[in-house]
Amino acid sequence: MAAMGVVRACAPPAAVGASSAAPSSSRRDAAQTKRSSRTARVLVLGGTGRLRPDLSILIGGRNREKGESLATKLGAQSEFVQVDTRNASMLEKALQGVDLVIHTAGPFQRAEECTVLQAAISTKTAYIDVCDDTDYSWRAKGFHEQAKAAGVPAITTAGIYPGVSNVMAAELVHAARSESGEPERLRFFYYTAGTGGAGPTILATSFLLLGEDVIAYNKGEEIKLKPYSGALGIDFGKGVRKKNVYLLNLPEVKSAFKILGVPTVSARFGTAPFFWNWGMQAFANFLPAEFLRDRNKVQKLVESVDPLVRAIDGIAGERVSMRVDLECSNGRNTIGLFTHKKLSVSVGFATAAFALAVLEGNTQPGVWFPEEPEGIAMEARKLLLEHASQGTSNFVMNKPSWMVETDPKEVGLGIYV
C-alpha cells in the first residue's frame, strides 16, 4: 500500500530558482547565512533518488556497499555516511556540518523513540521526516519545546501523504474561510497501484496499519473504526477514474482535526489490482491484531509475499492519486486532486519541496505538522505545492468535484454535483 509516507527518494525540484513567495524575514536570512559560503549539505536517511545539483547529498545507512554504489551513481556532490538510526552517538557524529536531515528510514509504526529528531535537536540541525504513523508523529511533536529552545526547525509527516495532502487541505480550508464558509467535513482519499514501486518497507507499513484501530472524527467526537472497512467508490479523475478506498489510521486525520479545526475528518486508501484490497481486508479480518502489531512477525509475512507483490507490481504500474474533499456549512464543496504516473518520482518531488522550504527559512524553530503556518508559512504553501506537483498528469485545487470527475452527476438544467 503505497505512499503512506515511506519515501524512497528525495528529489528537490529541478531548476528551482529563488522563491518568489519566500518571506524576507530574519529567519530566512539566518537559515541562508549558515550555508552562505558553501553548498547546503543534506543527510538523507533511508534512500535517495533525483536530486538538485546545488545540494551536497549525504546518503546515510547501515549497508556500506549499497550506499557507496548509490553515491557513485549520483555524482561528485554525493557521498555515503555509515550510520545506524538507532545509535544516538553515531547519528550526532553524522550530523556534524549538516544543514538538514531527512528521515525516511521507515517503517515508523511501533517505533518507540525519535532518535533522529533528538540527534537533530542536539546538533542544531534542521529536520524533516516522512512519518506515516499517528503515534510517532505526535511523539515527535512532543519535542516541540526542545526544538524551539534549540532554534531547530522541524516538520513531521512531510512526505506526499501525509505531507503534501496536509498542505492541500490547509489551502482548501483557508480558501473556504476567506469566503465566509465554515468547514464541516474533510476527507482524504488515496490510491496507489501496487506498492508504487516502494517494495518491502511499504508492505510492512501497510500490514502494521491493519493492526491499528482507525481514529476518525465525527462532529467533533473521536470515533474508532475497523481498519480497511467502510469502502467508498471515489472518482480520482482522468487516468485513474473510480476506485474503491478503505479506512486506515493515518496521522493527517488527527493533525487536521486539531490544527485546522474541522469537526469531521477521515482518511481512506485503496490499491490495485482489486484483489490486493481483498487481501488487505482478509488480513484485517482474520489475522489477530497482536500479530499485525508485531514488527518481527510482520516482517516475516512481508518476506513471504514480497516475490508475488513485485511480480504483479510490474504489471500494475505505480500510479498515485490523492483527492482531498472539503464540505462547508454554506454549501461550498471543493476538492484538491493530485495524480502522478509514478509514485517513486512524485514522492521524491514532494519530500524535496518540504526540504527546500526548510532550507529557504520558511519554517520556524519547533516541531510542526505541514498544515501549521509555522511549519510552512502560508505565503509559501502555493510554491511548495507547485514544486511538489511537478510532472503530475492532473493537479487542481479549489474546484467543485464535477469539474474533475470522469462521471459527474447532473441534477438537472445542466447543473452538476
Side-chain angles (χ1 to χ4, degrees):
M1 181 193 61
M4 306 286 287
V6 185
V7 180
R8 295 292 98 193
C10 172
V16 173
S19 166
S20 61
S24 58
S25 64
S26 59
R27 70 175 183 272
R28 172 172 178 153
D29 295 340
Q32 292 182 333
T33 297
K34 180 178 179 180
R35 57 184 185 279
S36 60
S37 61
R38 59 178 171 81
T39 300
R41 288 167 61 84
V42 179
L43 172 63
V44 183
L45 300 172
T48 187
R50 284 153 292 278
L51 303 161
R52 260 174 70 121
D54 58 336
L55 296 177
S56 175
I57 305 298
L58 308 178
I59 302 163
R62 286 177 286 178
N63 190 314
R64 178 173 292 278
E65 182 179 353
K66 289 183 179 179
E68 289 183 342
S69 174
L70 180 54
T72 299
K73 291 179 182 178
L74 293 172
Q77 286 283 80
S78 301
E79 61 181 284
F80 173 72
V81 177
Q82 192 162 29
V83 60
D84 186 337
T85 58
R86 298 166 297 183
N87 187 314
S89 60
M90 186 179 287
L91 277 168
E92 291 184 12
K93 182 178 179 180
L95 289 174
Q96 296 301 318
V98 168
D99 297 296
L100 171 69
V101 57
I102 303 175
H103 183 13
T104 77
F108 292 86
Q109 285 70 25
R110 311 294 179 270
E112 297 181 355
E113 296 182 359
C114 300
T115 52
V116 179
L117 174 57
Q118 290 175 273
I121 294 172
S122 178
T123 57
K124 299 186 184 301
T125 305
Y127 167 98
I128 65 173
D129 67 43
V130 297
C131 166
D132 51 3
D133 181 68
T134 303
D135 289 343
Y136 189 97
S137 65
W138 285 93
R139 188 176 299 116
K141 184 67 171 174
F143 288 92
H144 173 74
E145 293 301 328
Q146 292 184 36
K148 186 176 180 180
V152 173
I155 305 177
T156 186
T157 67
I160 184 169
Y161 63 87
V164 172
S165 59
N166 303 49
V167 178
M168 291 170 65
E171 281 290 273
L172 292 177
V173 169
H174 176 71
R177 286 179 172 147
S178 68
E179 297 182 13
S180 301
E182 186 52 39
E184 288 191 332
R185 182 164 73 160
L186 178 65
R187 295 185 294 173
F188 297 93
F189 303 118
Y190 305 127
Y191 163 80
T192 300
T195 66
T201 303
I202 207 68
L203 281 177
T205 295
S206 305
F207 296 155
L208 288 165
L209 282 170
L210 294 179
E212 300 180 4
D213 288 332
V214 174
I215 302 300
Y217 296 89
N218 182 38
K219 297 180 180 180
E221 297 294 325
E222 180 181 300
I223 56 176
K224 291 185 177 181
L225 302 167
K226 187 174 180 61
Y228 236 72
S229 64
L232 291 177
I234 298 299
D235 195 330
F236 288 93
K238 63 181 182 181
V240 179
R241 303 181 70 86
K242 185 171 285 189
K243 301 294 181 183
N244 286 339
V245 291
Y246 307 80
L247 288 163
L248 272 180
N249 190 38
L250 302 179
E252 55 266 47
V253 172
K254 184 175 180 178
S255 62
F257 171 76
K258 290 185 174 292
I259 294 162
L260 299 180
V262 183
T264 299
V265 190
S266 62
R268 285 174 168 84
F269 169 85
T271 187
F274 63 90
F275 51 76
W276 282 154
N277 291 316
W278 295 352
M280 295 284 281
Q281 286 180 306
F283 286 154
N285 289 327
F286 300 114
L287 289 180
E290 293 75 17
F291 178 97
L292 292 167
R293 293 169 185 164
D294 187 314
R295 286 172 65 113
N296 292 327
K297 291 179 179 178
V298 164
Q299 186 57 43
K300 291 180 180 178
L301 176 62
V302 167
E303 291 170 1
S304 68
V305 302
D306 184 53
L308 175 62
V309 171
R310 287 183 182 273
I312 294 180
D313 271 2
I315 301 171
E318 54 175 291
R319 190 177 298 273
V320 59
S321 187
M322 51 189 182
R323 172 173 162 168
V324 183
D325 285 35
L326 181 67
E327 300 173 18
C328 298
S329 57
N330 62 358
R332 185 184 191 274
N333 301 329
T334 55
I335 73 166
L337 186 67
F338 177 115
T339 301
H340 197 290
K341 65 180 181 180
K342 284 186 174 292
L343 172 68
S344 60
V345 175
S346 65
V347 77
F349 282 123
T351 305
F354 283 102
L356 187 60
V358 172
L359 289 171
E360 289 188 338
N362 289 308
T363 304
Q364 296 182 20
V367 180
W368 311 100
F369 286 97
E371 59 266 53
E372 293 185 274
E374 298 89 349
I376 298 296
M378 292 182 67
E379 64 269 25
R381 285 176 180 166
K382 284 184 171 61
L383 185 63
L384 182 143
L385 292 176
E386 179 184 323
H387 290 167
S389 62
Q390 287 188 92
T392 53
S393 59
N394 202 4
F395 177 67
V396 297
M397 285 290 298
N398 287 306
K399 301 293 184 182
S401 60
W402 65 264
M403 291 187 67
V404 297
E405 291 180 343
T406 54
D407 186 24
K409 301 176 182 62
E410 184 177 4
V411 297
L413 301 176
I415 299 173
Y416 291 86
V417 296

